[in-house]
Amino acid sequence: AAAAVILRRRLLLSSPLASSSSSSRARRIFSRAMDSSTTAAAVQHAAAGGAAAGEYEEVLGRLSSLITQKVRADTGNRGNQWDLMGRYLQILELEEPIARMKVIHVAGTKGKGSTCTFTESILRSCGFRTGLFTSPHLMDVRERFRLDGVDISEEKFLKYFWCCWNKLKEKTDDDIPMPAYFRFMALLAFKIFSAEQVDVALLEVGLGGKFDATNVVKSPVVCGISSLGYDHMEILGNTLGEIAGEKAGIFKKGVPAYTAPQPEEAMVALKRRASELGISLQVVDPLKPHQLKDQHLGLQGEHQYENAGLAVALASTWLEKQGHVDRMPLNHTDPLPDQFIRGLSSASLQGRAQIVPDSQVNSEEKDRDSSLVFYLDGAHSPESMEICARWFSHATKEHVSVFSLIRVSSMGHIADSSIQLHVCERSYEIASTSR
């Protein structure tokens, strides 16, 4: 199984468009970076008796068959088609389990995955059993489903996959087709978290909010909106107000909502929707460094203090609503409780301001000043690219003598003049430096 995981990573980078010597070198470097950070875990998994590689590959193939060829702006992605989610829940007998689930629901353009990760880590440090659903995955689909901070095992993943797949295959037809890829993933997450009896389920919205598959949750405990910007405009709208209106679709009557600071146009739209529902919408300030008692956030970059502040508000409200007032922060300015700090400082998420030393090269280097380090970040909008650049500049400072920033674009290939790579799902920036 470990060999299969590594092989899939290498095949991902074997595009026929990347045949030049410089591209081949880039593929080798990128593959080493990924393997340096994940191979040990894969080997441990194999030693523990991982599921047969053939079955796992079969499942990946079936998942791929659910990827729709529709243009993303096709109206079939919305409206009545979204209503099919209710039928899927009936088929899988998930309506009651979802109603009992204690959900934290987060939408946004930037930082929603980081916010969910921080929140999950805080509540896990407080002693709760957690389920975390995020997207996209970087190397392995199981990254989307975390139980107690760890990617779901292959054994459990296969078990719950076949349970959902077989029931849906049996009950779907031309009138009720199989769910598209992300909808199946959301249904699978609900199945996993309900079966595993998590105390709290953290759901990152995939796209927008109002018509997102995760929005079948009717009564979350608390909702959050991370930083908003221009993205997926062909679906969500051409103005920040329109985009914010779609994101605010996760708001529910009677459910408290929080937002990171937003541009005025976006804030007006969020407040309008909150007012229509008669709910409170509180703006959360970024976390202050002194609140961490000299500890550092587990996710790097100055922008993460904004996501961490939102996460603290979401976790605190969840604790309050579940009757755990004794574990909440005393106020918004004093240092946080130790379990909050422990959660924020230990949070991890691949591909978000991630620094990966190349252990293979560095172990061979005689000159300690010439080690090879990769700086990875999934920025995919102009605003995120600016933040990524600031983080990269701060992280490397004057120690960087040479670097290359490779942009790998969603569902295609965009790169600098010397490199072209193929990758699906989302943009990633891979920055490599020689010190």
Side-chain angles (χ1 to χ4, degrees), residues 118-153:
F118 278 133
T119 310
E120 181 277 333
S121 192
I122 290 171
L123 293 176
R124 178 160 41 88
S125 293
C126 289
F128 297 99
R129 179 157 172 74
T130 61
L132 173 62
F133 176 59
T134 60
S135 61
H137 59 274
L138 186 59
M139 302 308 300
D140 193 302
V141 68
R142 294 180 298 111
E143 296 167 24
R144 295 173 181 247
F145 315 94
R146 283 190 181 187
L147 294 170
D148 292 326
V150 179
D151 299 349
I152 189 171
S153 68

Side-chain angles (χ1 to χ4, degrees), residues 196-256:
E196 292 292 321
Q197 299 181 329
V198 300
D199 296 318
V200 55
L202 296 104
L203 306 178
E204 177 193 358
V205 167
L207 176 63
K210 184 177 182 181
F211 295 109
D212 189 73
T214 61
N215 205 31
V216 296
V217 177
K218 296 179 180 179
S219 299
V221 175
V222 61
C223 294
I225 305 289
S226 64
S227 182
L228 297 177
Y230 291 99
D231 196 14
H232 304 299
M233 296 164 65
E234 75 280 11
I235 296 175
L236 303 181
N238 296 315
T239 68
L240 277 181
E242 291 175 333
I243 293 171
E246 289 292 319
K247 307 286 185 180
I250 69 169
F251 291 170
K252 305 292 189 301
K253 191 170 184 178
V255 177

Side-chain angles (χ1 to χ4, degrees), residues 58-273:
E58 179 186 355
V59 165
L60 294 181
R62 298 205 180 197
L63 284 173
S64 296
S65 73
L66 300 178
I67 298 175
T68 176
Q69 297 301 311
K70 288 181 180 179
V71 176
R72 298 187 80 179
D74 191 301
T75 54
N77 287 319
R78 304 176 60 174
N80 292 332
Q81 287 291 314
W82 185 82
D83 293 340
L84 287 175
M85 283 296 295
R87 182 65 183 127
Y88 299 141
L89 295 180
Q90 292 174 358
I91 293 172
L92 297 175
E93 300 177 322
L94 284 172
E95 292 172 302
E96 289 189 13
I98 290 176
R100 294 193 300 267
M101 207 173 285
K102 307 302 182 183
V103 171
I104 296 176
H105 203 188
V106 181
T109 305
K110 302 164 292 183
K112 57 185 184 292
S114 297
T115 298
C116 286
T117 298
F118 278 133
T119 310
E120 181 277 333
S121 192
I122 290 171
L123 293 176
R124 178 160 41 88
S125 293
C126 289
F128 297 99
R129 179 157 172 74
T130 61
L132 173 62
F133 176 59
T134 60
S135 61
H137 59 274
L138 186 59
M139 302 308 300
D140 193 302
V141 68
R142 294 180 298 111
E143 296 167 24
R144 295 173 181 247
F145 315 94
R146 283 190 181 187
L147 294 170
D148 292 326
V150 179
D151 299 349
I152 189 171
S153 68
E154 280 191 15
E155 292 82 0
K156 286 186 176 181
F157 176 77
L158 292 172
K159 171 186 172 182
Y160 294 123
F161 169 85
W162 288 120
C163 179
C164 293
W165 180 271
N166 291 336
K167 284 185 177 181
L168 288 167
K169 270 295 183 182
E170 180 183 351
K171 299 291 186 179
T172 52
D173 51 30
D174 291 340
D175 294 327
I176 304 176
M178 283 289 285
Y181 184 85
F182 183 79
R183 289 180 180 179
F184 184 90
M185 291 297 190
L187 293 165
L188 182 54
F190 292 131
K191 178 63 178 177
I192 291 169
F193 297 157
S194 61
E196 292 292 321
Q197 299 181 329
V198 300
D199 296 318
V200 55
L202 296 104
L203 306 178
E204 177 193 358
V205 167
L207 176 63
K210 184 177 182 181
F211 295 109
D212 189 73
T214 61
N215 205 31
V216 296
V217 177
K218 296 179 180 179
S219 299
V221 175
V222 61
C223 294
I225 305 289
S226 64
S227 182
L228 297 177
Y230 291 99
D231 196 14
H232 304 299
M233 296 164 65
E234 75 280 11
I235 296 175
L236 303 181
N238 296 315
T239 68
L240 277 181
E242 291 175 333
I243 293 171
E246 289 292 319
K247 307 286 185 180
I250 69 169
F251 291 170
K252 305 292 189 301
K253 191 170 184 178
V255 177
Y258 294 87
T259 178
Q262 306 288 358
E264 183 177 359
E265 183 181 358
M267 189 64 75
V268 168
L270 294 179
K271 288 182 176 179
R272 181 188 306 119
R273 182 56 183 158

